[in-house]
Amino acid sequence: MGEHSDALSLDALLQGWDGEEIVLRRDHATGATIIIAVHSTRLGLAGGGTRVKTYPSVEDAIRDAQRLAEGMTYKFAAAQLARGGGKAVIAIPPNLDAAARDDLLRRYGALIHQLGGLFSCGADVGTSDRDMDVIAETGAPYVFGRTPENGGAGDPSPATAIGVFSGIKTTCERLFGSDDLAGRRVVVQGVGKVGYPLLRLLRDAGAELTCGDVDTAAVERARAEMGVTVVAPDAVYDIECDIFSPCALSAILNSETIPRLRCRAVAGSANNQLATPEDVDRLRAREIVYAPDFVVNSGGAIYLIGREVLGWSEQATLDHIATSVRETLKQVYALSDEQGIATSVAAEHVARQRIDNPSEQA
Ligand code: NAD
């Protein structure tokens, strides 16, 4: 699940993935590579974010798109939304200037339009609601999360934070028999678009907060506004706490970090938190509860579909997110207990069950 893989051949990447298709386009004007991975259209046409970043190789970018698209299939299914899983990755050269980047996004939009609805995009790491406005110039109507000024529902990250908050409460209920967060110690890794509003929700609920981020201005803001304790980015793993909430990077639960953790549970927004499937067993051996990422971080996806497709009100959508994450997570924990299986495996079972019974999807 790491974002950097050992040199993998294209053949091995295709053999090792059970998804439906990959659209690959070289953007000659910038040297970027656009990858659209469609993992499953079983529940509906595919949707997913657009990740823009620099990768060590095109193979690494393809692998990231594949894994993220698979995660979207499970995320939509677990959230009972009638959408298939997909993801776009745009692997850019370093130091791409802003005007060239916007033109690249317009060409990416044209490609999405050409696909005629097979894949609809939203924002992800490296893109914003403003970028969705640019992509929609050529890609509409297959673009979610434009700014409200341009008719979209805007940045879904605060809604994602509401889902993570609900996941943390549900996990505390499992651990302590109460979802009251007063006095609970929570460590948040990454105080960006999700982590920051999450800190506010946790603070309002009376939690004791610690955070770490490579962006020193962001943590200083959190300290000044909320009195959050700030530690060095790498120190977050070593802090004794109830909940460790990863809201920054993929693959942060691995053979090096898990032995360091001093938490009772992990519940955060980052996608693909487990570096390998075995890492959930490492967590279990240490009796650390793992709240599966694609359940906990489904709030943003639910928000965009609720607001832009299903016509739900803001409040109804936010309420639905909190309930959806809580109920799905409870089901996952119950199945994990009942069958003695890891929570990540139980979450995949729940999602697969929903994929096999599509009539239950919204
Ligand atoms: P973001 O880019 O706004 O925030 C990420 C933060 O992590 C930044 O402040 C960054 O400086 C920090 N960071 C980077 N490297 C770090 C490190 N080594 N240690 C500590 N902090 C580090 O991203 P976001 O939108 O808040 O998303 C966070 C995670 O949640 C990502 O993995 C994303 O894929 C996932 N996610 C986000 C949403 C959403 O709605 N935004 C939805 C689902 C999943």
Side-chain angles (χ1 to χ4, degrees):
M1 268 185 199
E3 290 179 354
H4 177 78
S5 60
D6 297 332
L8 274 172
S9 70
L10 186 56
D11 193 44
L13 284 169
L14 297 177
Q15 292 258 10
W17 188 61
D18 66 351
E20 292 175 10
E21 71 186 287
I22 293 177
V23 176
L24 189 66
R25 179 174 292 184
R26 180 77 171 170
D27 184 70
H28 290 288
T30 57
T33 305
I34 300 171
I35 299 144
I36 298 174
V38 173
H39 178 256
S40 169
T41 52
R42 181 86 195 262
L43 289 179
L45 293 167
T50 305
R51 182 163 293 200
V52 174
K53 65 178 253 190
T54 301
Y55 285 85
S57 71
V58 170
E59 286 80 2
D60 281 286
I62 294 173
R63 186 175 159 84
D64 209 17
Q66 289 176 320
R67 306 204 68 108
L68 291 162
E70 184 179 351
M72 287 308 298
T73 298
Y74 290 129
K75 191 180 303 193
F76 283 129
Q80 290 178 283
L81 295 170
R83 283 265 151 190
K87 199 85 177 189
V89 161
I90 307 182
I92 52 165
N95 310 319
L96 186 63
D97 78 58
R101 184 177 177 281
D102 277 359
D103 285 341
L104 166 65
L105 292 181
R106 289 186 190 97
R107 289 188 290 276
Y108 163 64
L111 174 59
I112 287 183
H113 195 268
Q114 230 173 30
L115 296 177
L118 172 66
F119 174 74
S120 293
C121 75
D124 190 66
V125 172
T127 51
S128 65
D129 50 1
R130 190 214 149 255
D131 290 329
M132 294 307 112
D133 289 347
V134 175
I135 296 166
E137 289 173 24
T138 48
Y142 310 118
V143 183
F144 285 91
R146 285 164 296 145
T147 58
E149 305 86 84
N150 279 294
D155 176 12
S157 308
T160 303
I162 284 177
V164 179
F165 181 68
S166 175
I168 289 175
K169 281 171 75 79
T170 307
T171 302
C172 280
E173 192 174 354
R174 175 186 169 85
L175 286 170
F176 309 112
S178 160
D179 71 357
D180 186 357
L181 296 184
R184 295 278 169 233
R185 294 158 304 168
V186 184
V187 174
V188 178
Q189 178 186 45
V191 294
K193 294 197 298 285
V194 178
Y196 206 89
L198 174 64
L199 282 177
R200 284 201 179 115
L201 293 167
L202 293 166
R203 187 252 341 241
D204 292 348
E208 280 178 29
L209 301 172
T210 302
C211 71
D213 194 306
V214 288
D215 180 346
T216 45
V219 281
E220 280 314 318
R221 200 174 134 225
R223 191 200 323 251
E225 185 195 323
M226 293 179 256
V228 176
T229 303
V230 174
V231 295
D234 186 57
V236 289
Y237 307 108
D238 307 314
I239 307 290
E240 192 172 340
C241 60
D242 298 305
I243 305 283
F244 172 57
S245 185
C247 296
L249 308 165
S250 294
I252 47 86
L253 299 173
N254 54 53
S255 57
E256 282 172 21
T257 58
I258 292 170
R260 291 170 58 186
L261 291 176
R262 296 172 71 200
C263 59
R264 300 285 306 276
V266 177
S269 75
N271 280 308
N272 297 347
Q273 291 168 27
L274 299 165
T276 68
E278 295 77 52
D279 289 305
V280 79
D281 299 321
R282 292 195 174 94
L283 288 169
R284 283 179 95 197
R286 295 213 48 220
E287 296 183 7
I288 295 172
V289 173
Y290 173 62
D293 45 19
F294 65 80
V295 177
V296 172
N297 71 17
S298 57
I302 298 174
Y303 184 77
L304 292 179
I305 302 285
R307 299 288 286 135
E308 295 191 7
V309 179
L310 302 172
W312 295 347
S313 72
E314 174 84 8
Q315 196 53 50
T317 310
L318 298 180
D319 290 347
H320 181 93
I321 288 167
T323 307
S324 168
V325 171
R326 183 179 67 238
E327 294 309 315
T328 303
L329 203 49
K330 278 186 174 172
Q331 199 180 343
V332 165
Y333 287 150
L335 188 66
S336 156
D337 290 342
E338 207 176 281
Q339 301 196 357
I341 53 176
T343 51
S344 56
V345 177
E348 284 180 23
H349 281 327
V350 168
R352 285 219 177 91
Q353 208 176 27
R354 292 176 181 178
I355 290 170
D356 292 338
N357 296 284
S359 58
E360 293 168 18
Q361 309 300 114

